[in-house]
Amino acid sequence: MRILLAEDEHDLKRALVAVLTHSGYDVDAVENGAEAVKFASMNAYDCMVLDIMMPVMNGMDALSKIREAGDRTPVIFLTAKAEVEDRINGLDAGADDYLTKPFAIGELIARIKSLTRRLETYTPKVLEAGNVIMDIDEQEIKCENAVRLGGKEAKLMEYFMLNKGKMLSRENIFNHVWKDDEDASIDLVYVYVSYLNSKLSAIGASIVIEGEEGANYHLVQK
């Protein structure tokens, strides 16, 4: 799982990166809100951990821009402020959770796990990208025509549509779609991307998944 961490306190940032990495997360660490907005626009994350008081752009302004772009990734705010009004403002800005400094690292990890589990429950049932509509429950994509998808195809298409325009690594895709399949090979990513592109072409889609075998992929307008 991939985490975006925005924290300008160097010692705390290093400690959080070390613990999260040891816990099995891939971590991108930045030092201000502007960098957080930039990274969020380019990459797919399972959770974002944002300090509120940061230089260049604070965490609340950064999150507002991230949400305006349609990104629904779970977000945890970190702050030294403990007042109720600050908590309310943070949640109103689009945060899903809130931790007041100092906090136990174990509690942060527990909250990340809780939010990422809830994300699967609250994923929209209908997704749109370009002229393509995807019905999650029916595992169907349609525009000029409609076509059903297999189970893994549907998971892969859902992941691309939730992160349209973002560059997704082959490893990240594999971990999301085939995480419960111990016998699966990462080479399946290229194979299934090819399947999806064929089906998108068949229904007259205005979107395509670009990328080469063994490289990164992203969903873009033709």
Side-chain angles (χ1 to χ4, degrees):
M1 300 184 75
R2 193 173 185 183
I3 304 293
L4 175 61
L5 171 66
E7 172 58 66
D8 65 317
E9 294 181 29
H10 299 297
D11 291 341
L12 177 58
K13 184 177 71 174
R14 281 198 299 268
L16 290 174
V17 169
V19 173
L20 289 169
T21 301
H22 181 73
S23 299
Y25 296 100
D26 294 323
V27 184
D28 290 339
V30 299
E31 295 187 349
N32 62 66
E35 290 181 340
V37 173
K38 179 181 177 181
F39 271 65
S41 70
M42 297 187 300
N43 305 297
Y45 295 100
D46 297 287
C47 187
M48 301 181 194
V49 180
L50 310 179
D51 187 24
I52 289 183
M53 300 301 294
M54 291 187 292
V56 184
M57 181 185 295
N58 66 49
M60 289 192 186
D61 289 344
L63 180 55
S64 293
K65 290 185 176 296
I66 290 169
R67 293 294 190 236
E68 286 172 5
D71 194 321
R72 308 313 303 167
T73 302
V75 169
I76 300 173
F77 268 149
L78 305 179
T79 183
K81 297 181 177 182
E83 288 79 3
V84 172
E85 184 176 351
D86 293 315
R87 292 174 183 265
I88 293 173
N89 289 338
L91 295 172
D92 284 346
D96 300 275
D97 207 346
Y98 196 109
L99 270 177
T100 303
K101 299 177 182 178
F103 54 86
I105 301 296
E107 182 178 4
L108 174 61
I109 293 174
R111 294 194 183 202
I112 289 173
K113 289 180 178 178
S114 176
L115 286 177
T116 52
R117 283 195 301 267
R118 284 166 48 194
L119 179 62
E120 297 182 2
T121 303
Y122 293 107
T123 297
K125 298 303 180 183
V126 176
L127 301 175
E128 295 186 31
N131 65 346
V132 176
I133 297 173
M134 179 176 183
D135 186 314
I136 301 297
D137 290 336
E138 296 296 327
Q139 296 185 177
E140 179 184 77
I141 53 173
K142 60 183 178 181
C143 50
E144 295 176 4
N145 302 297
V147 65
R148 287 289 183 91
L149 303 177
K152 297 301 185 186
E153 288 177 325
K155 285 186 178 181
L156 183 59
M157 193 71 228
E158 177 184 342
Y159 189 51
F160 275 114
M161 292 185 76
L162 286 170
N163 295 284
K164 53 192 174 186
K166 296 184 179 181
M167 191 64 70
L168 305 177
S169 72
R170 185 175 68 144
E171 291 75 15
N172 206 16
I173 295 168
F174 180 76
N175 290 334
H176 273 80
V177 179
W178 285 273
K179 61 182 178 182
D180 299 322
D181 190 345
E182 296 180 356
D183 298 324
S185 165
I186 197 169
D187 294 332
L188 287 171
V189 174
Y190 175 75
V191 174
Y192 274 75
V193 165
S194 298
Y195 290 163
L196 285 181
N197 275 333
S198 294
K199 291 188 175 182
L200 288 170
S201 177
I203 64 172
S206 65
I207 56 175
V208 65
I209 301 169
E210 292 188 344
E212 299 179 357
E213 186 173 3
N216 299 330
Y217 300 89
H218 62 157
L219 183 70
V220 297
Q221 291 275 354
K222 290 182 179 179

